[in-house]
Amino acid sequence: MAAKVRENQPFNVVIVGQGGRLQYEAILFAASMQMNSPDFPGRLIVAEPLPGPLWEKDPTIRGEDTLELLDRLGAEILPFESHHFGEAYPYGNKIEALFALPEGEPFVFFDTDTLVTGDLTTVPFDFDRPTASLRREGTWPEIELYGPGYTQTWKSLYDKFGLDFESSLDTSQPDEYWRRYLYFNAGFFFYRCPRVFGQRFLDYALAIRDDPPPELVCQSLDPWLDQVALPLVIHSLGGGRDTLPEGLLDGDITCHYRMLPLLYARESDRVVEVLEQVASPNPVKKVLKKYDPIKFMIYHGRGQKARALFDRDNLPRKEQAIRNTIRRNGYWMR
């Protein structure tokens, strides 16, 4: 019965939209959600950063045609102010956008370069136990030969915020192997209140950026800051790596494709079908063709040519090898 209550709990979906690539990805997200989750009862919010001193150029969505199309696709534009990150660290948008969301209403954040490929209302979110995307590689920390290892690096962060480090570990994985440590891609995350989650996320991110532990002296935090702070936030709020069934988000229900060339190279036939189907109606096509990577990858067939370079059952183990093959053949666009 408890699982049923969680499954039916209303929630809002939020993505970030701003001028340029993200506004066109927002159209693809909204169109795919309208097609595959038509009975979604919550709000689809496109959080839009406002101009301000932290932005050299106006970050707002350009073109009335884009705004009108997003409205027709059921999306609601919600502006927010950038007080801490802005142009210097645009990944911080996903943190500051949370403060514009309705307080006390459960939310699911998705990166804008995501497609909805199934019914979101069937996902049994437990909004008291947050988690995030486990579709990631061991990108942080980068271990130096004579520097701190994974345990010393991560433990220094848990200690900084008074968190229990040992309970965050996956002890089925070997010591000093990156999967042993709580680490997420920030492509999605959720919680019962965006203000609580956002404040914790902001506090941790700023503390790590402005006063990192000595163990981080050799580590880059750009662009990794959000993914360094996120496991600490989730752990501190009672979440973890196993609070959602496998195979739903980043599986049958959503796909965080990140870049169109990577989508065509490695994602399933179903994902490609959804992409090309939602991009096909004339009102959508008219707007999307203004963005060259979408125009050439989807409408001019470069994506299918890139797809033909790969065997989905035998992909290179490292993403960089996939990128290199696409670039070498002249199909890399973003």
Side-chain angles (χ1 to χ4, degrees):
M1 180 63 70
K4 189 69 174 176
V5 170
R6 288 200 295 268
E7 182 177 332
N8 293 333
Q9 184 174 5
F11 60 93
N12 299 316
V13 167
V14 60
I15 60 176
V16 171
Q18 65 186 79
R21 173 174 55 87
L22 267 64
Q23 71 183 58
Y24 298 104
E25 291 175 349
I27 290 170
L28 290 170
F29 183 97
S32 67
M33 185 168 167
Q34 186 180 75
M35 182 177 81
N36 292 309
S37 197
D39 298 322
F40 179 71
R43 299 160 67 185
L44 169 56
I45 295 170
V46 179
E48 179 187 45
L50 290 170
L54 297 183
W55 294 99
E56 184 176 339
K57 299 177 181 177
D58 184 348
T60 55
I61 292 171
R62 305 164 197 154
E64 284 299 318
D65 54 355
T66 296
L67 294 170
E68 290 171 5
L69 181 56
L70 285 169
D71 181 66
R72 289 175 56 184
L73 294 170
E76 172 186 347
I77 307 296
L78 195 62
F80 69 92
E81 295 183 350
S82 302
H83 296 290
H84 303 281
F85 299 105
E87 195 160 341
Y89 188 69
Y91 298 96
N93 279 343
K94 68 182 65 180
I95 300 174
E96 300 202 73
L98 299 179
F99 292 93
L101 302 183
E103 187 171 6
E105 295 185 12
F107 75 96
V108 183
F109 171 90
F110 288 103
D111 270 349
T112 314
D113 47 4
T114 299
L115 287 177
V116 179
T117 54
D119 188 351
L120 280 174
T121 66
T122 65
V123 179
F125 292 105
D126 182 347
F127 289 102
D128 292 325
R129 301 177 64 224
T131 192
S133 174
L134 292 171
R135 190 180 186 187
R136 78 285 192 229
E137 296 181 344
T139 47
W140 195 94
E142 292 189 359
I143 303 302
E144 301 291 334
L145 183 59
Y146 297 108
Y150 285 98
T151 294
Q152 193 175 349
T153 301
W154 278 115
K155 188 175 187 303
S156 72
L157 289 164
Y158 283 78
D159 290 347
K160 179 177 179 65
F161 299 109
L163 304 175
D164 180 63
F165 173 65
E166 296 296 327
S167 62
S168 74
L169 299 175
D170 179 355
T171 54
S172 70
Q173 301 289 342
D175 192 34
E176 292 301 316
Y177 177 52
W178 69 269
R179 290 185 183 274
R180 182 179 178 89
Y181 309 90
L182 199 62
Y183 187 56
F184 299 104
N185 183 288
F188 77 79
F189 51 83
F190 59 85
Y191 192 57
R192 64 175 180 247
C193 176
R195 304 288 180 88
V196 172
F197 195 98
Q199 191 63 60
R200 188 73 52 90
F201 207 172
L202 179 65
D203 291 344
Y204 284 11
L206 292 179
I208 294 167
R209 183 192 71 181
D210 299 338
D211 184 27
E215 288 81 356
L216 270 64
V217 66
C218 295
Q219 298 298 329
S220 173
L221 292 172
D222 190 358
W224 312 116
L225 178 61
D226 61 327
Q227 294 190 182
V228 176
L230 185 59
L232 306 169
V233 174
I234 286 173
H235 187 66
S236 74
L237 294 174
R241 58 176 62 79
D242 299 318
T243 72
L244 270 183
E246 291 185 18
L248 298 179
L249 302 191
D250 293 330
D252 292 337
I253 307 298
T254 64
C255 173
H256 182 206
Y257 60 88
R258 294 179 46 231
M259 305 172 199
L260 286 177
L262 291 178
L263 183 156
Y264 276 104
R266 66 186 181 185
E267 303 300 347
S268 68
D269 290 346
R270 167 63 179 165
V271 172
V272 175
E273 176 189 1
V274 168
L275 172 69
E276 297 190 344
Q277 188 172 348
V278 301
S280 65
N282 283 330
V284 176
K285 184 187 300 186
K286 182 179 178 182
V287 178
L288 291 182
K289 287 180 75 172
K290 295 182 178 182
Y291 185 61
D292 279 350
I294 289 178
K295 179 173 71 174
F296 287 106
M297 293 301 293
I298 298 178
Y299 300 115
H300 289 193
R302 288 190 188 177
Q304 290 292 349
K305 291 177 181 177
R307 188 168 181 78
L309 298 172
F310 298 93
D311 175 3
R312 251 67 58 199
D313 296 324
N314 189 30
L315 287 169
R317 189 170 63 88
K318 291 288 188 179
E319 181 182 298
Q320 191 59 51
I322 299 175
R323 292 178 180 226
N324 291 342
T325 298
I326 298 171
R327 284 195 177 96
R328 193 163 55 246
N329 285 272
Y331 299 134
W332 186 262
M333 299 190 76
R334 189 185 191 196

